[in-house]
Amino acid sequence: MGAAPRIGVLALQGDVREHSAVLTRLGARVSRVRRPSDLDAIDGLVLPGGESSVIDKLARAFGLQHPIREARAAGMPMYGTCAGLILLADRVTGAIAGQESFGGLDVVVERNAFGGQVESFETDLAVDGWDAPVHAAFIRAPVVTHVGERARALAALPDGRVVAVEQGNLLGTAFHPEVSGETRFHERFLSTVNAVR
Ligand code: GLN
């Protein structure tokens, strides 16, 4: 076994600390990504939950949007939760005017899909290929309204709406495993990182 994987957490806004804690617990070397040069020192990138429009705006202001897109196109594994999933989607509906994403996942994601009516909830979800369900926290969460040919759904709500997807080295969940003590998505992400680095 080589040295521990180096994982960056995009640290512009959002639940950076929660992701860092899970990744550290799983044995990764964690650093914060705020500048383009921070990307040079990592094997994989986590895009946290938070507010996708704010993270997008800050990423563009800090000159990070293009470097993140380039790293992704070069094969860097990335895992996005909630706002992070929105940022990885090729298409976003319900975005604010001018909002952009890094893209990569061949999906359409609807932002704030649960509206003001039920803004946050927790539920148990079956994940494709896993024995035990995931306890998932949805916080002003998006859903995947279309899974393109290149992406694959990993989990859906009982009504069929897709809430976890994977495509090559990219993983996205509409919910927050990092706040509910669930580590299997981060473990899956770290295995992808270890397989390609
Ligand atoms: N509603 C937020 C957004 O649009 C996502 C919420 C979250 O990350 N918990 O970015």
Side-chain angles (χ1 to χ4, degrees):
M1 182 79 193
R6 302 167 306 167
I7 305 301
V9 180
L10 184 63
L12 302 174
Q13 190 265 339
D15 68 339
V16 174
R17 198 180 311 168
E18 288 78 359
H19 277 289
S20 303
V22 176
L23 291 160
T24 303
R25 196 141 46 87
L26 293 174
R29 285 179 286 166
V30 181
S31 58
R32 295 184 171 206
V33 171
R34 290 202 179 95
R35 287 175 306 191
S37 60
D38 296 334
L39 292 167
D40 300 339
I42 58 172
D43 305 306
L45 179 66
V46 167
L47 309 174
E51 180 48 56
S52 57
S53 58
V54 173
I55 298 174
D56 161 52
K57 220 174 267 178
L58 292 172
R60 283 188 277 152
F62 289 14
L64 270 164
Q65 187 195 55
H66 291 291
I68 287 175
R69 285 182 180 162
E70 277 159 26
R72 192 251 301 141
M76 181 186 284
M78 297 190 182
Y79 173 31
T81 63
C82 202
L85 165 66
I86 297 170
L87 287 159
L88 280 179
D90 279 346
R91 245 194 83 206
V92 180
T93 56
I96 68 163
Q99 180 172 347
E100 296 179 13
S101 68
F102 304 131
L105 281 174
D106 182 14
V107 296
V108 181
V109 167
E110 185 186 351
R111 202 171 148 251
N112 296 335
F114 302 94
Q117 168 201 12
V118 187
E119 297 208 323
S120 304
F121 62 97
E122 296 185 21
T123 189
D124 288 333
L125 288 175
V127 176
D128 193 31
W130 294 5
D131 292 337
V134 161
H135 188 69
F138 290 82
I139 305 167
R140 291 185 303 110
V143 292
V144 178
T145 50
H146 175 76
V147 180
E149 258 170 35
R150 286 172 296 133
R152 180 167 84 90
L154 289 180
L157 291 168
D159 65 9
R161 287 190 289 177
V162 172
V163 289
V165 288
E166 188 167 52
Q167 179 183 325
N169 299 337
L170 305 178
L171 180 64
T173 57
F175 48 89
H176 292 271
E178 74 282 5
V179 303
S180 60
E182 170 62 57
T183 59
R184 285 171 291 174
F185 284 97
H186 291 80
E187 286 167 42
R188 189 182 184 104
F189 167 65
L190 290 177
S191 341
T192 304
V193 170
N194 281 322
V196 303
R197 78 191 168 107

